[in-house]
Amino acid sequence: MARPVTRGPRPSLTIPGSVSGVDRRSILRGALGTGALLAASGALAACSSDSSSPSTGSSSGAGKPGNVKFGINEARGSGPAYDRLAAIAAAYTQKTGAQVSLNAVDHNTFQESITTYLQGSPDDVFTWFAGYRMAQFAEAGQITDLSDIWPIDGMSDAFKKAATAADGKQYFVPVSYYPWAVFYRKSVFEKNGWTEPKSQDDFMALLKDMQGKKITPFAFAAKDAWAPMGTFDILNMRLNGYDFHMELTKGKKKWDSPEVKRVFETWKTLLPYHQENSLGRTWQEAATSMAKGECGMYLLGSFVVDGVPKDAADDLDFFTFPALDATIGADALDAPIDGFCVAEGGADQEAGKAFAKWLGSAEAADAGNNASSVPFIAANSGASTAKYGALQKKSVEVVQNAKSIAQFLDRDTNADLANTVITVSLQNFIKNPDDIDGITASIQQQAASILG
Amino acid sequence: MATGTRRRQSRRVETKRGWKDRLVIGTMIGVPTLLVFWLVWLPAAASVLLSFTRWNGFKFSAIEWVGTKNYVDITTIYPPFWPAIRHNLIWLAFLFVLPTILGMVLAVVLDRNMWGSRFYQTAFYLPVVLSLALVGFIWQLFYSTDQGLINEVFGSKVDWYGDPSVNLWAVLVATAWRHTGYIMLIYLAGLKGIDASLREAAAVDGASEVKTFFHVIFPVMRPINMIVLVIVVIESLRAFDLVWIVNKGRNGLELISALVSQNVIGEATRYGFGSALAVIMMVISSVFIAIYLRIVFREERR
């Protein structure tokens, strides 16, 4: 029903935004947090006003490290995610002497009010997501061009690509990510003599064998409407490739094209291997089915560990979805990237840019991870991996080997289309897998109307 | 023809009022009028205007006039719309039938001062105190497919919240659980207020319990019935919380209010489209309000 309150290791900064339902507790927490924060940030601002921004030697090309306001999407005291961000801010102050006033807002509240936030008087630097969600603000002139702080040491080209908007400039500094992959319990695989499938044939054989042993191959949940997007994405990227995914999400390819229909056709043949009644199941419930061994595998983001008990979490392993088309291969995956943007409406652009540049550094990532019980997977390859668990180490490897990183359907495409049309349509498909023509036609009609 | 004298009289009364009185009256009328205008009429008018545009919520200059396109899209290519209308009507009919009758029956039974009647009153009324969001959560414990109480006890495998052919009814039962207590309390209050001599008279005349209720008690409770009618209509139009908690008003639980929210709250910013849906909802509510006002005024004229 909602983003879990952190329990057990949590490799990611956040779970995808649309994951979260309106969690009453978190709203309350957010409200309290914001209230407390207003007072706190007022106090901070008061402190900072008389300490005229000292600029110590930072080799940054852009901007001077002045005092900044930092908007983050984790409420004060909301767990490791907040601890990391607060520690990163503190480390910056320690390094440069610049004050960072933290504006900590609850995750859902932050995301849902982002449009008004950016148009009001936003903080200089704020937490945000890569992909279209970043690009649409770039297009609307709400966020600052950061191309002069790129390239960032330790950031691969894939990250640069994800930070680039339609005009070819970078507007984003990545900090962490979490890959989507097929998770399973090592003990269950060992007991049944299964191994990670390397090819499509292996994969199909595995599915059949699981079914023969009365274990549902795939745990599956679609009550949260974003969840089936993960399946759509991976099938689309395996059948049509990363470039098609990007063109489709940008509206350059049609939703009723033969390529998209082929994705649905393939999905339809795989549906019998998925858990039934998925439309009433939350991802936490599906994760539990996998943890209990009722289901063999679960295709989800690495936040799946939050949905299973501790002993099962230690037993988890994953593999990337195998290739379905030899010419396309299996070198693309969804790995949503979280990071930071500089708000165009922020008070101090120079200070904001300087802070943003530092946020992308390995040093910032280490400061965050050292202060928190649960590390994130740093985007910067120079960051220390000492605190990572086995799953996170493997995630790093998988993402570094990937040629292209997609941001997830609802992060790569127009938010209106994703949230009001595609969610509904994917659920309709699961209900009615025979109506592929009708469903794709309906998406295309609405996409044409929304994208204009 | 208003006579001249009367007019003069009234003018005299007016002049008698000091400037202070006039100021007080002016403020007392003016401030609420301004508030109503600012908080009710202006947003309503803005919604109507916005419903003919396309706007992403950034800069006012980005507002683009699209004529009736939103309305055409809603009725032709927006699949959740017609189910939403249907579900709102089902919601209305259901609330009228089950919780209202059940609430009335409970009230009549509890009114008889039986043993433990206080306890039952509290028990039935308790859900009303809970927010619908909480009600949604409580029923999730019953309805969950894999871990829910109902499937566990009956060994069934029904996907209560996920199967679009049953989830509306599952949610309606949860709503009724809460709504019945409300209706019960209103009728209970009404029954307590009925003059005991009416019952005695009926008993003396030899009327049966049932006959007494339908021919004597029920007609006397006419004002209570009116209140219940209005409450049911309002509750069914603003039905929202429960479906939003369950699955954000998708997959069999579409309601117009939920569709409005899907389009304008959160990251989807289809302000024009969402406004058009809101306007449709406003028109539908106006029909009910008009009917209600007609009945009330006819009552008063009698």
Side-chain angles (χ1 to χ4, degrees):
Chain A
M1 193 160 62
R3 200 161 59 88
V5 176
T6 312
R7 143 168 83 87
R10 191 159 162 230
S12 59
L13 185 63
T14 57
I15 285 161
S18 38
V19 170
S20 24
V22 185
D23 177 344
R24 291 171 50 77
R25 267 178 304 173
S26 64
I27 284 186
L28 198 64
R29 218 189 310 123
L32 289 172
T34 335
L37 203 88
L38 281 176
S41 68
L44 274 178
C47 301
S48 61
S49 60
D50 45 26
S51 65
S52 57
S53 56
S55 52
T56 36
S58 157
S59 58
S60 67
K64 271 186 290 188
N67 297 347
V68 279
K69 287 199 208 148
F70 187 23
I72 60 171
N73 64 346
E74 294 296 336
R76 197 160 283 255
S78 62
Y82 171 80
D83 298 341
R84 288 191 297 256
L85 288 164
I88 291 174
Y92 185 66
T93 307
Q94 204 176 21
K95 182 166 196 265
T96 63
Q99 295 288 342
V100 180
S101 21
L102 214 53
N103 177 15
V105 179
D106 161 70
H107 188 83
N108 296 319
T109 318
F110 186 86
Q111 214 164 312
E112 293 191 342
S113 54
I114 187 74
T115 3
T116 34
Y117 169 77
L118 286 180
Q119 290 182 92
S121 41
D123 302 299
D124 300 311
V125 179
F126 66 97
T127 323
W128 199 232
F129 315 112
Y132 188 91
R133 284 189 179 171
M134 171 268 303
Q136 63 183 0
F137 291 140
E139 210 170 306
Q142 301 288 328
I143 51 177
T144 307
D145 173 9
L146 298 179
S147 47
D148 50 347
I149 69 174
W150 281 88
I152 298 171
D153 276 346
M155 292 279 181
S156 70
D157 267 358
F159 285 109
K160 188 171 179 185
K161 204 152 81 176
T164 308
D167 60 2
K169 292 176 181 159
Q170 288 76 41
Y171 288 87
F172 180 78
V173 175
V175 65
S176 65
Y177 60 87
Y178 53 94
W180 277 63
V182 182
F183 288 82
Y184 64 90
R185 282 193 73 153
K186 278 183 279 195
S187 60
V188 173
F189 265 48
E190 265 163 36
K191 198 173 76 191
N192 291 290
W194 295 325
T195 50
E196 295 181 1
K198 300 280 179 241
S199 65
Q200 188 180 3
D201 294 339
D202 284 359
F203 182 57
M204 293 313 290
L206 177 63
L207 294 181
K208 295 224 164 68
D209 194 40
M210 284 183 169
Q211 222 166 29
K213 289 180 172 153
K214 297 274 177 264
I215 291 178
T216 312
F218 274 110
F220 191 45
K223 183 163 176 253
D224 317 283
W226 53 268
M229 287 181 177
T231 309
F232 179 88
D233 270 0
I234 202 70
L235 292 177
N236 190 21
M237 285 192 284
R238 290 295 175 264
L239 292 166
N240 301 316
Y242 171 80
D243 293 336
F244 183 85
H245 165 87
M246 291 313 288
E247 286 175 357
L248 178 69
T249 51
K250 293 212 164 67
K252 287 181 196 145
K253 289 281 194 243
K254 289 202 158 71
W255 278 89
D256 57 355
S257 61
E259 287 92 341
V260 176
K261 283 184 187 166
R262 196 168 149 227
V263 172
F264 282 113
E265 298 286 356
T266 310
W267 195 352
K268 190 177 141 188
T269 63
L270 291 176
L271 268 183
Y273 299 106
H274 285 71
Q275 240 177 332
E276 279 179 7
N277 295 337
S278 60
L279 289 165
R281 189 177 296 115
T282 62
W283 69 262
Q284 288 94 335
E285 289 173 307
T288 308
S289 321
M290 178 186 60
K292 283 187 188 159
E294 292 165 5
C295 298
M297 308 174 275
Y298 192 15
L299 171 68
L300 201 74
S302 52
F303 55 85
V304 67
V305 296
D306 292 342
V308 300
K310 181 83 174 77
D311 63 315
D314 295 337
D315 190 30
L316 283 184
D317 199 352
F318 69 92
F319 58 88
T320 52
F321 205 90
L324 297 178
D325 183 332
T327 58
I328 303 283
D331 57 6
L333 79 160
D334 268 332
I337 302 169
D338 295 337
F340 306 98
C341 289
V342 175
E344 187 70 51
D348 193 339
Q349 295 291 308
E350 287 303 299
K353 276 189 184 179
F355 184 44
K357 185 180 168 74
W358 187 79
L359 285 169
S361 67
E363 205 183 338
D366 290 346
N369 276 346
N370 288 333
S372 158
S373 55
V374 184
F376 56 51
I377 307 172
N380 197 309
S381 62
S384 156
T385 59
K387 290 197 81 185
Y388 289 7
L391 274 186
Q392 288 170 308
K393 285 191 174 135
K394 190 166 174 185
S395 301
V396 175
E397 201 182 302
V398 162
V399 170
Q400 274 168 359
N401 290 337
K403 218 170 80 195
S404 318
I405 303 171
Q407 295 302 307
F408 204 66
L409 195 50
D410 69 357
R411 289 192 182 196
D412 273 331
T413 194
N414 176 294
D416 296 351
L417 185 65
N419 293 326
T420 67
V421 177
I422 296 174
T423 47
V424 176
S425 305
L426 293 187
Q427 287 183 331
N428 282 344
F429 165 74
I430 293 163
K431 250 184 285 184
N432 219 343
D434 293 323
D435 187 27
I436 292 171
D437 286 341
I439 286 162
T440 49
S442 168
I443 303 180
Q444 180 54 31
Q445 267 180 335
Q446 295 182 78
S449 172
I450 290 173
L451 304 174
Chain B
M1 178 180 122
T3 62
T5 47
R6 196 182 291 168
R7 210 184 294 155
R8 220 174 296 138
Q9 261 173 356
S10 71
R11 202 177 294 148
R12 208 177 304 138
V13 171
E14 229 165 72
T15 46
K16 255 195 238 157
R17 283 201 192 110
W19 60 271
K20 239 184 191 167
D21 290 346
R22 259 188 266 170
L23 191 73
V24 169
I25 292 171
T27 336
M28 283 172 83
I29 295 173
V31 171
T33 311
L34 266 179
L35 279 178
V36 166
F37 181 77
W38 179 247
L39 296 174
V40 177
W41 293 110
L42 202 71
S47 291
V48 174
L49 282 179
L50 269 181
S51 74
F52 295 103
T53 66
R54 183 191 158 99
W55 185 39
N56 61 6
F58 291 113
K59 300 169 206 136
F60 285 113
S61 58
I63 301 181
E64 190 188 329
W65 191 261
V66 294
T68 55
K69 182 170 181 291
N70 288 330
Y71 291 96
V72 174
D73 281 1
I74 286 171
T75 47
T76 54
I77 64 169
Y78 188 52
F81 177 69
W82 291 110
I85 294 272
R86 200 171 62 237
H87 297 158
N88 266 101
L89 289 175
I90 293 177
W91 202 285
L92 180 66
F94 179 87
L95 281 195
F96 252 122
V97 179
L98 198 79
T100 310
I101 293 176
L102 201 62
M104 200 189 301
V105 170
L106 286 176
V108 170
V109 172
L110 291 177
D111 189 40
R112 299 165 63 93
N113 290 327
M114 52 192 262
W115 186 82
S117 132
R118 283 284 164 79
F119 171 76
Y120 286 115
Q121 277 175 33
T122 319
F124 286 124
Y125 191 70
L126 207 58
V128 186
V129 185
L130 307 175
S131 75
L132 272 173
L134 199 55
V135 172
F137 177 71
I138 291 172
W139 282 85
Q140 169 85 47
L141 302 176
F142 287 80
Y143 283 140
S144 165
T145 316
D146 308 331
Q147 296 147 23
L149 185 73
I150 299 179
N151 282 351
E152 204 71 34
V153 169
F154 296 101
S156 54
K157 213 65 189 120
V158 181
D159 185 4
W160 293 104
Y161 273 168
D163 183 344
S165 57
V166 294
N167 61 5
L168 182 68
W169 302 103
V171 168
L172 280 172
V173 167
T175 314
W177 176 64
R178 182 174 182 271
H179 195 67
T180 305
Y182 194 19
I183 300 290
M184 177 202 76
L185 195 80
I186 294 171
Y187 273 118
L188 209 52
L191 288 170
K192 297 264 187 246
I194 285 173
D195 196 341
S197 59
L198 277 175
R199 286 175 206 266
E200 278 165 27
V204 168
D205 285 350
S208 68
E209 289 266 353
V210 179
K211 233 178 180 169
T212 314
F213 180 77
F214 281 109
H215 292 276
V216 180
I217 311 291
F218 192 73
V220 176
M221 287 201 301
R222 205 182 165 88
I224 304 287
N225 289 334
M226 277 318 290
I227 293 174
V228 169
L229 179 95
V230 175
I231 287 173
V232 168
V233 172
I234 291 174
E235 285 286 322
S236 57
L237 277 171
R238 66 170 201 190
F240 169 74
D241 336 34
L242 207 47
V243 300
W244 194 256
I245 291 298
V246 172
N247 67 3
K248 299 259 190 284
R250 299 189 172 109
N251 178 40
L253 291 184
E254 293 87 353
L255 289 178
I256 304 178
S257 52
L259 296 188
V260 174
S261 309
Q262 280 174 21
N263 280 287
V264 301
I265 292 180
E267 282 185 81
T269 50
R270 299 172 83 182
Y271 288 109
F273 195 79
S275 300
L277 283 163
V279 168
I280 293 175
M281 193 167 145
M282 192 160 77
V283 169
I284 296 174
S285 342
S286 314
V287 172
F288 284 106
I289 293 168
I291 295 173
Y292 165 66
L293 288 179
R294 231 178 104 93
I295 296 173
V296 169
F297 284 138
R298 203 188 286 156
E299 288 277 304
E300 279 182 0
R301 234 173 278 144
R302 265 193 215 153

